[in-house]
Amino acid sequence: MIDKNSTTLLSIKNLHASINTTEILNGINLTVKSGEIHAIMGLNGSGKSTLAKVLAGHSAYEVTAGTIEFEGKDLLALPPEERARAGLFLGFQYPIEIPGVANTQFLRLAYNTIQAQRGKDELDPLEFDDFVREKMKLLDMKPDFLDRSVNEGFSGGEKKRNEILQMALLEPKLSILDETDSGLDIDALKIVANGVNQIAHKDNAIILVTHYQRLLDHIVPDFVHVMQAGRIVMTGDKKLAMELETRGYDWINADQRLATGVNA
Amino acid sequence: MSNSVTNSNDYLQYLLKSWSAKSASELTGLNQLRASAIDSVGTQKLPNKHDEEWRFTDISPLTRLTYPPSQQQSRLQFSDIDKFCLQNTTNRLVFVDNHYSPDLSNVADSQIQILGNLHSLMSSHASTIESHLGHYAKFDHDIFTALNTAFLHDSALIIVPAKTCITEPIHLLFIASQQEVSSYPRSLVVSGPDSKVTLIEDYVSINQSSYITNTVTEIRLAAHAQVEHIRVQRDSKQAHHLANCAVSLADSSQYQSICVSLGARISRYNLEVQLTGENSNCTIDGLTLISGQQLSDTHTSIDHVKPNCTSRQQHKCIVDGTAHAVFNGKIKVRPQAQQTNSSQSSRNLLLSNTAKVDTKPQLEIFADDVKCAHGATVGQLDSEEIFYLESRGLSKTTARNLLTYAFAADVINRIPVASLKQQLEQIVLNQTQGI
Ligand SMILES: Nc1ncnc2c1ncn2[C@@H]1O[C@H](COP(=O)(O)OP(=O)(O)OP(=O)(O)O)[C@@H](O)[C@H]1O
Ligand SMILES: [Mg+2]
């Protein structure tokens, strides 16, 4: 929801980033305020996940120009764990499996780290167990996921639910959900979308990276951005997503050329 | 050092002299065994890096450590050793610098088992002792076994009678308290037909001093016996630890070994398992966790002598700093050992660029109808896994520790004694705290 009294959470200016000297982000500008839901769409390989990982602080990417401010602070100066503690959350497109680490142990460790950062009480294993089981109900997850290793042998959809469970536990200010809808069946999509909607409120914000309009039927975005070759080339409201669904991305190129006066 | 000797022969002579000064009449029944071991020491020399079995482990620094045998002097109180004791484990034999300490020991149920210092049980169980001691760990081809046998003194003795199941684990606690001494711990386990026992062989030190521990353990399983053997080496990081363990399995017996090696500047563990009865079965899980300048060498040999036996082995090394881990796993399948089923896996985690591991499977298969699988990997912590954990707020150190722990978990989780398992979990979780 767009709100006049909202504060700016994220401000990205002219962001350039490369990996192994190949430039992937090519001048991104984006402002996200509290209470807002943004969707980022775009063709495969346009740089959506790269943007998400640069925001989370992945060390493989080098930021070559531009700035990112999170609540007015220089995000790029912080290591990944401090970004998380400051309230940034990345739901991964491909959540990694960690054999040998019990999901419950991992979730509690993450939860208590963030709680300590916020000056709040940490939970012991028993207290945490009650707490996490409540949150799992929200996402219709079976309790036996707690005893298994982190994401190990989880189906694609189960991994995505585990990501949203972490989001629900950590209560971030800004969540970037990278294709959380991919791999979800229609029922799961509704459950996850419903979970996200319950977590969303006027003081936090969400960036949804998605290829599909159907997610945006459940989580209605305030802004829709189109990424192409490492830049945001068009921004609109939820109608833009519908247009993309029917027309694809080609027309954007034509519009772009018109707008910039470049001949084909 | 005034007693400095430089070559191997002088060193061995020096050691023997220091021993014969002690009273020789203490172990009348075993004098014969000791005497032959002393003779054998005279014909052997310390291994060096030209010996195939010692290719990676340079033991020559030992010749500069002319540490005399430990004397009985320390008067440790229970409060000194409390931290090493395991909750819910009442069967405990304590040896301080290899001198049996009855005050610190505790035997819960002396009715059903024979448990104590071999020295004092010699008169009542002479024939059992004489027919097993020195029969599995042969000293004629191993200088350290020969030295240990020559210096035979107090020893842990466990005799489990037939059809007896000892539910409480037996904790053999070998404590080093003096510096610049050598001690020669020895253990003998004789488990009768259809018996069952769990044994924890634990080497600890009161302080971080330099000393030498040279241990020999022999375990005999009669038909249908089950022995669970947990070995933890947490000696001082300045110590030298040399160890031999020989296990012999009769028909349908089961031997389970979990060996955790954490301590010592230089350590060497030789484990030799002989499957001498049909349908016997062994599982061996090993974990080496070292850092700094430690060197830890594990040599195992599983000898399939008879048909229809299985062996499963996994060995894991976690190496940090400039430490060096060695694993050599020999599996021998003799011609008559048909239907052998054996697997071996060696997995290694290097936590620094200067850490090193040498791992070598050694298969000697002389039977044709067998299944033998083996594999080895060496790797580092996965940077994507670290990033995933960091992105949830965990510090780099916590993330690395958690992943290191995860690597070790499937060995540690096999330890059936909860209190020991928790102690080891903590040690592994704190391993990379320094980074
Ligand atoms: N390690 C790397 N080395 C070289 N190129 C890379 C590397 N990682 C990403 N890229 C390239 O960067 C571009 C952007 O990738 P990114 O994953 O950000 O795309 P995306 O928009 O998320 O695509 P998708 O919709 O398929 O998830 C791609 O062309 C990709 O091949
Ligand atoms: Mg992507």
Side-chain angles (χ1 to χ4, degrees):
Chain A
M1 120 212 45
I2 304 172
D3 177 1
K4 283 206 192 63
N5 300 322
S6 64
T7 58
T8 299
L9 282 178
L10 181 73
S11 166
I12 304 177
K13 294 205 175 98
N14 189 33
L15 181 69
H16 289 251
S18 56
I19 185 159
N20 306 327
T21 71
T22 310
E23 181 152 273
I24 303 200
L25 299 185
N26 199 356
I28 302 254
N29 293 292
L30 179 65
T31 301
V32 177
K33 294 184 173 169
S34 57
E36 293 178 351
I37 294 178
H38 291 240
I40 298 182
M41 306 184 79
L43 291 172
N44 294 136
S46 55
K48 304 178 297 295
S49 294
T50 302
L51 173 62
K53 284 194 230 170
V54 167
L55 284 169
H58 196 297
S59 61
Y61 302 93
E62 191 193 352
V63 173
T64 51
T67 57
I68 307 177
E69 286 187 353
F70 185 66
E71 295 195 298
K73 284 178 304 225
D74 179 8
L75 190 74
L76 293 172
L78 302 178
E81 70 267 27
E82 284 177 32
R83 298 184 192 195
R85 293 175 197 173
L88 189 115
F89 178 87
L90 168 59
F92 285 81
Q93 182 174 359
Y94 304 109
I96 199 152
E97 301 192 2
I98 310 186
V101 177
N103 208 19
T104 177
Q105 182 187 17
F106 160 66
L107 294 172
R108 192 171 72 89
L109 209 51
Y111 176 77
N112 280 342
T113 306
I114 303 275
Q115 286 292 99
Q117 175 79 12
R118 293 176 182 161
K120 293 191 186 159
D121 287 345
E122 300 182 25
L123 297 183
D124 70 29
L126 284 177
E127 294 166 332
F128 182 75
D129 200 59
D130 291 342
F131 177 68
V132 73
R133 277 165 196 264
E134 275 310 306
K135 298 278 179 188
M136 288 172 87
K137 280 189 200 151
L138 190 75
L139 295 162
D140 200 22
M141 284 175 81
K142 279 186 256 110
D144 65 322
F145 283 102
L146 289 173
D147 302 325
R148 290 166 63 179
S149 292
V150 177
N151 294 330
E152 193 185 28
F154 288 25
S155 76
E158 289 164 350
K159 285 180 183 164
K160 297 298 175 72
R161 283 193 218 200
N162 206 30
E163 295 292 287
I164 302 303
L165 175 63
Q166 292 166 47
M167 175 184 169
L169 289 171
L170 303 182
E171 298 181 350
K173 288 179 192 150
L174 175 66
S175 305
I176 305 135
L177 304 181
D178 191 357
E179 295 201 24
T180 299
D181 53 334
S182 304
L184 292 181
D185 62 47
I186 293 173
D187 290 350
L189 181 76
K190 278 188 201 151
I191 291 163
V192 166
N194 185 35
V196 171
N197 282 329
Q198 290 196 36
I199 299 165
H201 57 74
K202 68 175 178 39
D203 295 323
N204 62 23
I206 297 169
I207 299 175
L208 302 167
V209 175
T210 182
H211 288 293
Y212 305 107
Q213 161 62 29
R214 53 170 205 181
L215 175 71
L216 306 179
D217 287 340
H218 299 285
I219 310 174
V220 181
D222 303 300
F223 299 96
V224 174
H225 309 277
V226 178
M227 254 183 96
Q228 210 167 66
R231 313 174 69 157
I232 291 176
V233 294
M234 189 173 277
T235 295
D237 60 14
K238 61 181 179 185
K239 279 179 258 156
L240 175 56
M242 293 173 197
E243 194 157 2
L244 290 169
E245 181 96 341
T246 47
R247 293 179 66 193
Y249 288 96
D250 275 356
W251 62 276
I252 292 180
N253 289 326
D255 272 23
Q256 279 288 101
R257 280 193 291 272
L258 276 179
T260 53
V262 179
N263 290 319
Chain B
M1 196 181 295
S2 59
N3 286 325
S4 181
V5 287
T6 45
N7 76 43
S8 149
N9 284 342
D10 291 354
Y11 174 71
L12 295 172
Q13 285 312 314
Y14 172 83
L15 288 184
L16 286 181
K17 248 193 278 158
S18 67
W19 175 242
S20 43
K22 280 186 68 93
S23 151
S25 61
E26 287 169 350
L27 287 168
T28 26
L30 299 168
N31 274 344
Q32 185 55 43
L33 183 65
R34 277 182 36 191
S36 0
I38 291 171
D39 288 347
S40 176
V41 172
T43 65
Q44 300 189 50
K45 52 186 186 33
L46 281 183
N48 61 40
K49 293 187 85 169
H50 301 296
D51 292 297
E52 183 57 28
E53 291 291 297
W54 291 81
R55 209 147 60 90
F56 300 109
T57 301
D58 180 10
I59 205 70
S60 65
L62 268 191
T63 59
R64 293 191 294 275
L65 307 178
T66 49
Y67 295 166
S70 54
Q71 304 294 319
Q72 186 154 22
Q73 54 164 239
S74 107
R75 283 254 134 254
L76 291 183
Q77 305 294 311
F78 188 76
S79 58
D80 300 316
I81 70 153
D82 194 24
K83 62 180 175 216
F84 302 121
C85 295
L86 300 171
Q87 265 170 31
N88 310 321
T89 303
T90 42
N91 281 315
R92 183 177 58 242
L93 300 184
V94 178
F95 296 81
V96 181
D97 304 313
N98 201 34
H99 293 273
Y100 180 59
S101 170
D103 297 348
L104 301 175
S105 301
N106 193 47
V107 176
D109 203 339
S110 54
Q111 299 303 309
I112 55 166
Q113 68 203 0
I114 292 106
L115 176 60
N117 185 11
L118 178 135
H119 201 146
S120 40
L121 294 165
M122 190 60 208
S123 50
S124 48
H125 297 87
S127 73
T128 309
I129 294 170
E130 276 166 21
S131 56
H132 292 285
L133 191 71
H135 282 250
Y136 311 105
K138 295 275 196 304
F139 54 70
D140 46 8
H141 62 280
D142 187 282
I143 181 67
F144 296 109
T145 305
L147 280 168
N148 178 286
T149 312
F151 286 43
L152 195 63
H153 185 60
D154 286 358
S155 307
L157 176 68
I158 301 171
I159 301 175
V160 190
K163 298 194 180 4
T164 303
C165 171
I166 300 177
T167 45
E168 285 254 343
I170 298 172
H171 190 193
L172 306 180
L173 184 58
F174 296 96
I175 303 174
S177 82
Q178 299 170 44
Q179 58 177 4
E180 306 204 345
V181 296
S182 301
S183 65
Y184 299 89
R186 181 108 187 183
S187 308
L188 174 64
V189 180
V190 182
S191 59
D194 276 311
S195 69
K196 193 172 173 188
V197 67
T198 300
L199 152 89
I200 303 160
E201 186 187 350
D202 194 3
Y203 297 90
V204 304
S205 73
I206 294 286
N207 46 46
Q208 288 298 313
S209 58
S210 169
Y211 56 85
I212 296 169
T213 301
N214 173 350
T215 86
V216 173
T217 299
E218 293 177 281
I219 302 175
R220 168 64 182 173
L221 293 86
H224 296 277
Q226 288 179 42
V227 174
E228 252 176 337
H229 176 203
I230 300 133
R231 181 182 206 277
V232 185
Q233 186 269 98
R234 32 183 168 170
D235 267 310
S236 147
K237 298 256 160 85
Q238 304 298 318
H240 286 65
H241 182 100
L242 301 148
N244 280 281
C245 176
V247 185
S248 164
L249 283 82
D251 287 350
S252 304
S253 60
Q254 277 182 48
Y255 172 67
Q256 224 177 315
S257 156
I258 300 162
C259 158
V260 181
S261 184
L262 308 168
R265 168 76 182 74
I266 295 179
S267 68
R268 166 71 174 237
Y269 181 48
N270 293 335
L271 172 63
E272 290 191 17
V273 180
Q274 266 206 327
L275 301 152
T276 61
E278 287 192 36
N279 297 309
S280 56
N281 136 22
C282 75
T283 65
I284 298 173
D285 292 280
L287 174 66
T288 297
L289 180 72
I290 50 173
S291 60
Q293 299 188 310
Q294 289 180 282
L295 187 161
S296 178
D297 180 344
T298 303
H299 268 60
T300 63
S301 157
I302 302 172
D303 186 357
H304 286 263
V305 181
K306 287 283 167 67
N308 295 312
C309 296
T310 59
S311 64
R312 184 195 59 70
Q313 177 175 35
Q314 72 165 334
H315 191 82
K316 293 192 169 188
C317 297
I318 301 172
V319 194
D320 203 352
T322 55
H324 181 187
V326 180
F327 172 68
N328 188 103
K330 185 199 276 190
I331 294 184
K332 189 169 179 177
V333 182
R334 301 208 190 196
Q336 67 272 41
Q338 299 294 358
Q339 309 288 330
T340 289
N341 191 340
S342 142
S343 70
Q344 179 189 73
S345 127
S346 158
R347 290 185 58 204
N348 302 282
L349 175 62
L350 300 179
L351 293 177
S352 78
N353 293 332
T354 45
K356 198 172 138 187
V357 63
D358 285 290
T359 175
K360 186 175 148 212
Q362 196 183 334
L363 304 186
E364 297 176 2
I365 298 170
F366 301 104
D368 43 27
D369 188 11
V370 300
K371 266 193 217 140
C372 290
H374 68 96
T377 59
V378 180
Q380 294 178 326
L381 290 177
D382 185 299
S383 60
E384 293 299 322
E385 291 181 9
I386 294 174
F387 177 63
Y388 188 77
L389 297 174
E390 287 176 317
S391 79
R392 300 307 184 238
L394 275 56
S395 70
K396 189 171 238 54
T397 305
T398 307
R400 288 176 60 93
N401 282 337
L402 192 61
L403 294 172
T404 303
Y405 164 78
F407 181 82
D410 56 351
V411 176
I412 291 179
N413 285 340
R414 289 179 176 274
I415 294 176
V417 182
S419 51
L420 179 62
K421 192 173 124 183
Q422 277 157 17
Q423 283 184 16
L424 294 173
E425 270 169 3
Q426 275 316 312
I427 291 173
V428 181
L429 271 171
N430 292 328
Q431 170 70 3
T432 57
Q433 211 88 90
I435 292 177

